Amino acid sequence: MTATPWTNLHPGDLRIALPPVAPTPVQPALAAAHAAARDWARTPLSTRAACLRSAQAALRAESEPLAHLLALEIGKPLVEARGELAAVLAKFDLTLADAEAHLTTRCVTDGPHPAFVRQLARGPAAIIGPFNFPLHLPNGALLPHLAAGNPILFKPSPLGANIAARYAALMTPHFPPGVFQLVQGGADESLALCADPRVRAIVFTGSVAAGRAIARAVADDYSKQLALELGGKNAALVCADADLDLAARACADAFCLSAGQRCNATGRVLVAAPVADAFAERLLTALAAYQPGDPLDPATKLGPLTTAAAHERFANALRSPGGRWLLTGEALPLCGEAPGHYVRPAVRVWDDPAAAIASPLHAQEVFAPLLEIIVVRDDAEMVRLHEAVPFGLTASVFTRSQARFDAFATELRVGNLYANLPTTFSPSTLPFGGLGASGNGRPAGRGFIRYATDEQAVQVGVNSLS
């Protein structure tokens, strides 16, 4: 187990250190969650909903300090951090609406006996969050579990330990003892939670490698619910009839927001040859708005990468061979006088699709503002190149033709498909999950509560009970 406290630095100014964080002993947390499970499952939904509403009010009252701390610890621009807090608050309303619909017992009248179908709480759930959305993504998973009657063990990324601690401090008092628990730590703590038989559901957002490790660790406990969201190598398909101004702005946003540290960021643009040059010209214009800056400045649109390792990976990616650089990009040691993990966006063009596929970065999630533009001959080649990576999270088709979009929709294996929108436009009002290497088909977002319960069918012989 991890035993040593750690200290996170502000990615926008490495001279600023946040308070140190110590790992949480896992076994006492597991025991408390297990002890609380029976009573929380029997608590009426109306009472559980009241607890959630009370927690929502506490978070709303502190939303601006939370956004500031999020920007400080992760390096996310303040405008995006405020947006994340807004999504956190909205998720309470969406979750409770889902709970009212899903947790209601359903009568069955067309069978041989009186019958009904009801939803049972599963038991303690481990929610293992990522660093890039340290509140929104785990919040979107733990709220359905709490509404369904499951105690939760929230294990945030160690990179977001301070913001997670503040969120948990605001949430915990609104629930009975053991129902909401924060477990700080790293991979050891995550695996200890996941492998314990008392944990009956797991939600993990992160890398493919870590997701596979968790899946292997719980493979023998096949009744344990496992929801994985593991990233993507998402593509924008820019057709010959596209609105190029719209496509350029959408692609610029979708690979630069959060400094490219989004699972649904655009990593590839597959563009029709007749409009490739015009699209590239418009993309450069759109990228002028993305200049590195202090994430605590409300005007900043491009903050730093969160870690030194990510900064180094980006620098190495800029040295990778092949293609031609439309925008060379840069890994910067400073922004003004502040030392940090700052970057300038990079765009590479591949005129030869075969060479693009052969590139070692083609099927890798860079998680930084690096965009690969691949020039294609026709729609069929767009589909072939789109399917040449193992991921299947999001894709967006830019076209003015409904028929063309419908044709693409039947061919593209992604969990989230958009027309004329950024690949990052993933509202909480829709399910969200990926296919292939991007996940295991248990989406977050709207409707996730159906993975937080066990379904039980009940029937009663006629006149057999008095």
Side-chain angles (χ1 to χ4, degrees):
M1 289 289 180
T2 303
T4 305
W6 69 95
T7 300
N8 290 334
L9 303 179
H10 173 36
D13 189 339
L14 300 174
R15 299 168 296 187
I16 299 174
L18 280 77
V21 181
T24 303
V26 172
Q27 290 305 316
L30 283 164
H34 181 68
R38 182 183 178 91
D39 285 346
W40 186 240
R42 293 184 172 188
T43 300
L45 175 58
S46 60
T47 303
R48 299 198 298 262
C51 292
L52 288 166
R53 290 294 187 196
S54 179
Q56 181 188 31
L59 291 173
R60 181 178 286 113
E62 293 292 316
S63 60
E64 184 61 21
L66 284 167
H68 188 275
L69 179 56
L70 197 163
L72 184 68
E73 186 162 41
I74 302 301
K76 179 174 291 191
L78 187 57
V79 64
E80 290 191 47
R82 288 169 173 160
E84 180 165 348
L85 263 298
V88 166
L89 294 172
K91 184 65 74 172
F92 283 80
D93 301 321
L94 294 169
T95 296
L96 290 173
D98 283 348
E100 289 289 345
H102 181 73
L103 301 181
T104 300
T105 297
R106 174 170 57 88
C107 293
V108 179
T109 59
D110 56 355
H113 304 291
F116 58 91
V117 178
R118 64 184 177 186
Q119 303 299 321
L120 306 179
R122 292 190 60 86
I127 313 299
I128 304 172
F131 76 88
N132 58 334
F133 282 88
L135 297 186
H136 174 51
L137 291 179
N139 181 73
L142 64 85
L143 293 183
H145 277 287
L146 290 169
N150 304 325
I152 64 99
L153 299 125
F154 171 30
K155 212 300 290 178
S157 165
L159 299 175
N162 285 276
I163 185 61
R166 183 59 187 147
Y167 165 84
L170 292 166
M171 289 284 287
T172 303
H174 303 277
F175 300 93
V179 171
F180 189 106
Q181 294 186 88
L182 176 69
V183 177
Q184 299 277 25
D188 289 343
E189 284 75 16
S190 293
L191 289 173
L193 289 173
C194 293
D196 194 282
R198 290 169 289 187
V199 168
R200 301 315 308 150
I202 300 163
V203 183
F204 172 76
T205 305
S207 71
V208 173
R212 285 174 174 162
I214 290 172
R216 286 193 294 266
V218 304
D220 288 341
D221 192 354
Y222 48 80
S223 70
K224 185 178 294 193
Q225 181 67 260
L226 176 61
L228 300 172
E229 197 272 276
L230 306 178
K233 187 73 172 182
N234 312 293
L237 287 68
V238 181
C239 302
D241 67 340
D243 179 332
L244 298 182
D245 290 315
L246 172 65
R249 290 193 302 269
C251 291
D253 290 346
F255 92 96
C256 288
L257 287 172
S258 307
Q261 297 172 125
R262 293 191 178 199
C263 58
N264 55 6
T266 297
R268 300 177 293 153
V269 173
L270 311 177
V271 60
V275 297
D277 291 341
F279 170 79
E281 179 181 345
R282 287 164 171 79
L283 179 66
L284 289 177
T285 300
L287 287 173
Y290 284 96
Q291 300 298 323
D294 177 3
L296 299 177
D297 183 343
T300 295
K301 294 187 69 173
L302 180 63
L305 297 173
T306 301
T307 68
H311 198 243
E312 183 178 358
R313 283 196 304 271
F314 180 70
N316 289 336
L318 298 182
R319 292 190 285 270
S320 62
R324 54 184 173 88
W325 291 100
L326 180 69
L327 196 61
T328 55
E330 190 176 5
L332 302 168
L334 298 168
C335 183
E337 297 182 356
H341 307 314
Y342 291 96
V343 295
R344 295 189 190 279
V347 180
R348 177 162 50 184
V349 178
W350 297 89
D351 298 300
D352 179 3
I357 292 176
S359 166
L361 294 180
H362 179 69
Q364 292 185 22
E365 186 179 31
V366 178
F367 232 52
L370 172 61
L371 184 68
E372 310 268 2
I373 297 177
I374 306 172
V375 181
V376 302
R377 294 169 296 181
D378 53 33
D379 291 358
E381 188 168 52
M382 275 191 190
V383 171
R384 181 176 65 82
L385 289 173
H386 181 274
E387 299 298 297
V389 302
F391 296 101
L393 187 57
T394 67
S396 188
V397 180
F398 291 86
T399 177
R400 288 183 169 91
S401 166
Q402 181 72 55
R404 174 174 261 165
F405 176 76
D406 291 344
F408 276 114
T410 64
E411 300 287 344
L412 303 181
R413 292 287 296 165
V414 293
N416 308 271
L417 180 64
Y418 312 133
N420 302 315
L421 290 167
T423 60
T424 50
F425 196 83
S426 304
S428 296
T429 50
L430 290 174
F432 183 78
L435 309 178
S438 291
N440 64 345
R442 292 169 177 82
R446 197 69 189 266
F448 180 81
I449 196 167
R450 65 189 185 275
Y451 299 113
T453 59
D454 286 324
E455 189 171 78
Q456 184 182 66
V458 180
Q459 59 177 334
V460 180
V462 177
N463 299 324
S464 65
L465 298 177
S466 60

